[in-house]
Amino acid sequence: MDSHWNLSDHHKRICLFPIPRIPRLGAKARDASIYLSGALFALGWWFFMDAVFRSKNWNYDDGFKNVSVAFVDWVPGICSVIGMIVIGSIDKAALRSDSFSFTSDGGTSIAWKARVFLFIGFAFMAGGLAGSVSVMCIKYLLPSYGEIFDFWGICNVVQNGCIMASAAILWVAQSTESEYHYAI
């Protein structure tokens, strides 16, 4: 069993089971991943903006209550975008390094700071997705306004899911080493 799990090297990793490494993507696959990430981001915002425009132009004369997309519907998407920006702005090499910097606070690890920053970014994105599910349930599903209003809540969840998937794909694409990396 030791040879299968390679437990003799337990000091080199955190988990007992092997975690697969991110595969190296070729130049074309890396570019395609970045374009796919951007397309998912745009698709998520397209779904949400569709719900916004439909809610403002909806004919409420048919006996429906006046329910429209308000600022509370925008907050989860804004949180997810902030999380994506935070995650995308982290230097990936800083996450892997365990060197100490020469700072005024006594040499706090750069990797520790980068990991905390990464956690904050993921917390923003998770909060955005949880917020969109909460808004969908509390504002659209519980009062049972009708199926079209449920669709507006679903659009909000789809938007945040697309932003999270976009951030994950962009993270993998940027974490792979480029063939055109030059050390200057």
Side-chain angles (χ1 to χ4, degrees):
M1 177 110 185
D2 285 344
S3 63
H4 178 70
W5 293 102
N6 201 8
L7 294 177
S8 62
D9 294 335
H10 70 281
H11 62 280
K12 294 182 182 177
R13 59 179 152 171
I14 298 170
C15 301
L16 288 176
F17 55 90
I19 298 174
R21 294 197 180 272
I22 296 174
R24 288 189 180 201
L25 298 176
K28 299 279 187 196
R30 185 172 190 240
D31 290 345
S33 298
I34 292 171
Y35 288 130
L36 177 65
S37 173
L40 278 173
F41 184 81
L43 183 68
W45 276 102
W46 180 80
F47 267 101
F48 181 72
M49 294 309 292
D50 181 49
V52 169
F53 295 142
R54 283 183 184 217
S55 74
K56 295 300 179 193
N57 297 321
W58 185 260
N59 184 8
Y60 293 103
D61 296 336
D62 298 334
F64 291 111
K65 291 185 178 180
N66 190 357
V67 179
S68 63
V69 175
F71 181 72
V72 71
D73 297 299
W74 286 82
V75 172
I78 293 169
C79 287
S80 291
V81 169
I82 290 171
M84 184 178 182
I85 291 170
V86 167
I87 290 170
S89 64
I90 295 173
D91 182 20
K92 307 321 183 260
L95 290 170
R96 291 184 219 112
S97 69
D98 283 328
S99 63
F100 288 90
S101 64
F102 296 103
T103 59
S104 61
D105 59 342
T108 306
S109 173
I110 294 173
W112 183 81
K113 289 178 184 177
R115 290 172 188 153
V116 168
F117 203 57
L118 182 68
F119 175 77
I120 290 170
F122 277 116
F124 265 108
M125 286 185 19
L129 184 64
S132 67
V133 170
S134 299
V135 167
M136 178 185 70
C137 291
I138 293 171
K139 186 174 179 182
Y140 298 109
L141 294 180
L142 289 180
S144 66
Y145 292 124
E147 288 185 18
I148 187 65
F149 302 109
D150 296 346
F151 174 73
W152 295 346
I154 292 168
C155 283
N156 200 347
V157 174
V158 168
Q159 173 208 21
N160 286 283
C162 285
I163 291 172
M164 286 185 77
S166 172
I169 291 171
L170 188 63
W171 175 267
V172 170
Q174 288 180 341
S175 294
T176 59
E177 294 180 11
S178 174
E179 294 178 6
Y180 305 108
H181 181 72
Y182 300 109
I184 298 177

